[in-house]
Amino acid sequence: MGAGARPVAGAGRRDGDAVTGAPAAVRQGGPPAAPGAPAPLGRSLARAAALTAGLTAAGALCGLLRDRTLARLFGAGSATDAFLVAWTVPEMAATLLIEGAMALLLVPAFSRALAARAAAPGSPDDAADPVRALLRATLPRLSAALAGGSALLAAGAPLLVRLLAPGLTDPAAAVDCTRLTALTVLTFGVTGYLSAALRAHRSFAAPAAIYVAYNLTIIGTTLALHADWGVRAAAAGVALGGALMVVVQLPAFLRVLPPLRLRRAAAGGTAPLPVAGLPVAGLPVAGLLAPVVCFTFGRQAQVLVERFLASGLPAGAISHLNYAQKVAQMPMVLSLMICTVTFPVVARAVADGEAARAGRRIARDLTLAGLVVLLGAAYVAACAPQITGVLFERGAFTAADTAATAAVMRVYALGLLGHSLAGALIRPFCAAGRPTWYPAGAMAAGLLVTAGAGPAAVRWWGAPGLAAANAAGITTTAVLLLHGLGTRVVAVRVRRIAAGLGRLALAAAAAVAVGGPLAALPADPLLGAAAGALLVPAVFAGTALAVRAPEVRHLLVVVKGKLADAR
């Protein structure tokens, strides 16, 4: 896919690029479409999803390599715990500023600006261009606010560490690491802004590549400096990696919105224009921003609750939770790539008043995301000890750490469907660009479940109890969001979606029941993980077909067709 392809003002054909009107085959890097016959939107989405999937998988694998490097160098002790407390800052910043509030607000905003441009075509150099008006009014102010936030976090690092983990063994190292990672508030915010603008323009390659650059920078910096800086080297890598995320996207962003044209537009002195009812000069508007921030903060606050309670457990508990969560969340990340690619389509359909088309797209996205995440969750639950052993058990990471991490990982797998649905369902709530507090209320209910169950669970079951509380809380949120979607936003068949997800969950349970014991037979963890990678999908697919789970039969037909074409 051609990242950063220049939008065509004045177009807007729904059979091509649904946002800019450019022929989808051209913008996605395929062969040019014949005049008057641009590629169907479905094909362009599939191409974009495939590219995003590849880069997302590469970023996730680099993330595993990063965690493997940390485990080998620092194990699961007090030093790693100190770094992970500091890592709360970039984790929260990523949730709020890259995939959370920034995307949920700005993708619809840029989509409506592009729709307004298509409805009233003019020169891209025109000062009244809604896209450039939105850019001029938001990016400078946002950058200044983010820079101030980074400075405040760095200054308040000692207080933040005491609040996040009062029982931490090595608070001094955590404070130093927090001061380094505070820079990510600025860099992640700018990264999220550029990502939202590019996705709205249907340019997905650069936004999907940011985590590859980020994780490779952390790995390189940690390996280069750990002998002298200890775990602080990893925090320095986080700070440098955040800056590189911005650099990776700049070329594509400048192709979409060249700075020369931006300056010409600004020279006109025209006042910013409203975009579909959104006052550009006031974005982010408090009425839109506050509900989304509360939702994304509540989602990340589950991790804060975990680390707060785990800081009172023996050293290494926070590390076990972190390693387990990073591996377990990979299926969730891959499942959400579907919604990431289609979110601009949903936002544009809502902006065009086509609620039925948006509803069909949302229903299919939820089912596909559920299929991906439940298959991944089944593999994680069935093969957790083998996966952990292959990835982490070397150097300072012991067999006891493997057993503790695997136990937590299996419990985390229970909440993966809830995490995936929560990430997918918030998007249609934000697509219309109208303020709504329902998602924030649903997340608050889930957080109350996590915080209420956590203290008792940690006393009863230790770190796995915290993972169980997390799973219960996010599942509560997902159920509430799915119910509210059909009654408040877009008319979707909630019961039909829930029934399909239930059949997929049954297939996942069967895959765990059969694949787990068989994967444990080989003494070598690598052989066990490989056996599970074959058995779990086979049992999952067979059971899903037997219970007539949605999408599975369709996907098998597509795969057979591709194989037949390859012959």
Side-chain angles (χ1 to χ4, degrees):
M1 181 194 64
R6 186 170 298 175
V8 180
R13 294 171 296 187
R14 205 160 284 121
D15 54 351
D17 185 314
V19 175
T20 64
V26 175
R27 292 185 57 78
Q28 304 302 330
L41 177 60
R43 191 185 308 167
S44 68
L45 287 178
R47 206 175 279 128
L51 176 64
T52 303
L55 290 172
T56 300
L61 290 175
C62 290
L64 287 179
L65 182 59
R66 172 204 67 204
D67 292 338
R68 183 176 179 175
T69 302
L70 294 174
R72 180 174 65 85
L73 294 176
F74 308 114
S78 59
T80 312
D81 287 353
F83 167 70
L84 293 174
V85 170
W87 207 351
T88 303
V89 173
E91 283 181 328
M92 183 70 74
T95 302
L96 288 170
L97 302 175
I98 298 180
E99 303 300 338
M102 195 74 71
L104 295 173
L105 284 174
L106 288 176
V107 169
F110 273 107
S111 296
R112 290 192 296 276
L114 287 163
R117 171 193 283 176
S123 168
D125 292 330
D126 188 354
D129 178 13
V131 178
R132 300 182 190 284
L134 178 62
L135 179 69
R136 290 196 307 274
T138 55
L139 184 56
R141 299 181 184 185
L142 180 66
S143 300
L146 292 168
S150 289
L152 286 175
L153 273 177
L159 176 61
L160 182 63
V161 169
R162 285 197 298 272
L163 291 174
L164 291 177
L168 199 63
T169 306
D170 189 4
V175 169
D176 291 343
C177 290
T178 300
R179 284 176 172 151
L180 287 167
T181 59
L183 182 62
T184 59
V185 172
L186 172 60
T187 56
F188 282 17
V190 176
T191 294
Y193 189 99
L194 301 183
S195 295
L198 288 171
R199 287 169 179 168
H201 284 81
R202 290 299 180 81
S203 181
F204 293 100
I210 58 176
Y211 287 109
V212 175
Y214 174 66
N215 288 318
L216 289 178
T217 302
I218 295 175
I219 294 168
T221 306
T222 303
L223 291 174
L225 300 178
H226 77 276
D228 297 322
W229 286 24
V231 78
R232 294 167 179 82
V238 171
L240 292 174
L244 197 60
M245 291 169 111
V246 177
V247 173
V248 163
Q249 295 187 102
L250 272 179
F253 181 78
L254 293 178
R255 284 195 296 271
V256 170
L257 288 165
L260 177 62
R261 291 182 176 180
L262 181 62
R263 286 196 296 270
R264 288 177 182 173
T270 303
L273 299 177
V275 177
L278 178 66
V280 171
L283 188 73
V285 181
L288 285 171
L289 183 64
V292 179
V293 169
C294 287
F295 174 87
T296 50
F297 180 83
R299 190 175 180 190
Q300 189 62 27
Q302 288 198 314
V303 178
L304 302 183
V305 170
E306 283 185 10
R307 290 182 180 167
F308 180 87
L309 295 173
S311 67
L313 293 174
I318 294 177
S319 300
H320 297 146
L321 286 162
N322 172 77
Y323 291 129
Q325 187 183 63
K326 290 298 187 294
V327 176
Q329 72 182 4
M330 284 190 65
M332 177 200 71
V333 172
L334 293 175
S335 70
L336 287 178
M337 72 181 182
I338 300 166
C339 304
T340 297
V341 170
T342 59
F343 183 36
V345 178
V346 173
R348 182 63 184 267
V350 173
D352 290 342
E354 299 182 0
R357 181 163 67 99
R360 289 192 299 270
R361 180 75 259 174
I362 291 167
R364 185 159 190 178
D365 288 350
L366 291 176
T367 305
L368 285 172
L371 189 155
V372 172
V373 76
L374 285 170
L375 175 58
Y379 179 65
V380 167
C383 303
Q386 292 79 18
I387 295 170
T388 307
V390 169
L391 291 176
F392 302 127
E393 193 176 324
R394 56 187 44 80
F397 199 92
T398 66
D401 292 324
T402 293
T405 301
V408 174
M409 193 184 300
R410 280 179 160 155
V411 180
Y412 267 135
L414 299 175
L416 285 180
L417 178 60
H419 280 288
S420 181
L421 291 180
L425 287 165
I426 183 60
R427 287 166 166 81
F429 277 96
C430 298
R434 296 188 298 270
T436 173
W437 282 95
Y438 183 84
M443 183 55 68
L447 184 59
L448 284 175
V449 172
T450 299
V458 74
R459 287 194 299 270
W460 174 57
W461 200 8
L466 292 175
N470 182 306
I474 198 64
T475 301
T476 300
T477 295
V479 170
L480 292 173
L481 287 175
L482 184 58
H483 172 74
L485 176 66
T487 59
R488 297 169 177 268
V489 182
V490 178
V492 294
R493 297 179 179 178
V494 173
R495 291 185 178 180
R496 184 174 181 178
I497 293 171
L501 292 174
R503 294 190 184 97
L504 291 170
L506 180 61
V512 174
V514 175
L518 294 177
L521 292 178
D524 188 338
L526 181 58
L527 290 178
L534 295 175
L535 291 168
V536 169
V539 177
F540 181 92
T543 308
L545 288 173
V547 299
R548 298 183 178 181
E551 300 295 341
V552 175
R553 188 180 299 276
H554 172 72
L555 289 176
L556 289 177
V557 170
V558 172
V559 171
K560 288 180 181 178
K562 294 293 184 183
L563 292 176
D565 293 341
R567 297 193 194 103

